[in-house]
Amino acid sequence: MLSPFVEEFFRNPATVGSLTPSSPALTGKVMEPIDFATASCIVEYGPGTGVFTDALMSRRRPETVLVLVEANRRFAQLLRQRYAGHAGVHVVHGSADKTGQYLQELGVGQVDYVVCGLPFSSLPRRLGWRILEHTAQILGPEGKLILFQYSLQNKRLFERFFRPLQEEHVLLNLPPAYVLTYVPTPPGKV
């Protein structure tokens, strides 16, 4: 029997991005830029089956709000079941380019970190653009966008909205992945 992750990959590879869940090495690199002692709100785009979410859950302070935005209905249902009863964890079935609306409905203000594994290479270009533009608006001035991608082909797109801070290549993952950390570009510099 196939895992839900593998089933959803075959059903819609454009939104799942990889046939295998992320490795501990990749998860560790994605968590590195996050200051869990000060983070009050972390948003995760496309949490899938919750590999990164589990790492966020184990490291966050109890008062840190975690908002999971998942476009895949089945994954959203699985995440709701898994994290039911955890205070401050909100699972939203929806699109990352509408996160501001979801945050407003939840009464959440500024976002400190956005963790994103969305496969920008297979997303419609216009949607990718809207997600990045929107993310730049919801992140606080000191906020960070942490992306993991399987290629660097969209770096120019990312850098239209964000200033690069760090780039790591994680070989201990199938397929090898890049972890890109960005900060918002100051207003008027886009």
Side-chain angles (χ1 to χ4, degrees), residues 35-151:
D35 181 355
F36 287 96
T38 62
S40 59
C41 180
I42 302 170
V43 172
E44 184 180 2
Y45 294 160
T49 57
V51 173
F52 291 102
T53 312
D54 285 343
L56 291 168
M57 289 290 293
S58 69
R59 291 168 169 86
R60 77 174 182 130
R61 295 175 301 141
E63 62 270 22
T64 301
V65 175
L66 191 54
V67 180
L68 312 173
V69 181
E70 177 56 62
N72 181 295
R73 184 178 305 279
R74 185 169 180 204
F75 286 163
Q77 288 170 337
L78 291 170
L79 292 165
R80 279 193 187 110
Q81 290 167 3
R82 183 186 295 175
Y83 301 113
H86 289 276
V89 179
H90 306 279
V91 179
V92 178
H93 174 241
S95 179
D97 66 332
K98 294 182 174 54
T99 302
Q101 174 189 324
Y102 309 141
L103 293 170
Q104 195 172 19
E105 291 166 6
L106 294 167
V108 175
Q110 194 167 281
V111 174
D112 300 303
Y113 298 94
V114 172
V115 174
C116 176
L118 298 176
F120 280 89
S121 300
S122 56
L123 290 178
R125 189 101 174 134
R126 189 173 249 152
L127 177 60
W129 184 287
R130 279 197 323 261
I131 289 169
L132 292 167
E133 185 175 45
H134 184 75
T135 302
Q137 293 167 3
I138 65 168
L139 270 176
E142 304 296 316
K144 290 180 184 167
L145 168 63
I146 305 157
L147 289 158
F148 65 95
Q149 300 287 293
Y150 299 108
S151 82

Side-chain angles (χ1 to χ4, degrees), residues 133-181:
E133 185 175 45
H134 184 75
T135 302
Q137 293 167 3
I138 65 168
L139 270 176
E142 304 296 316
K144 290 180 184 167
L145 168 63
I146 305 157
L147 289 158
F148 65 95
Q149 300 287 293
Y150 299 108
S151 82
L152 295 175
Q153 78 181 58
N154 287 297
K155 274 181 71 173
R156 284 182 55 206
L157 173 63
F158 303 149
E159 291 169 14
R160 285 189 69 98
F161 301 96
F162 297 93
R163 187 169 51 82
L165 267 190
Q166 192 171 358
E167 178 182 311
E168 302 263 356
H169 194 193
V170 182
L171 296 172
L172 293 175
N173 193 68
L174 276 176
Y178 293 91
V179 177
L180 309 166
T181 306

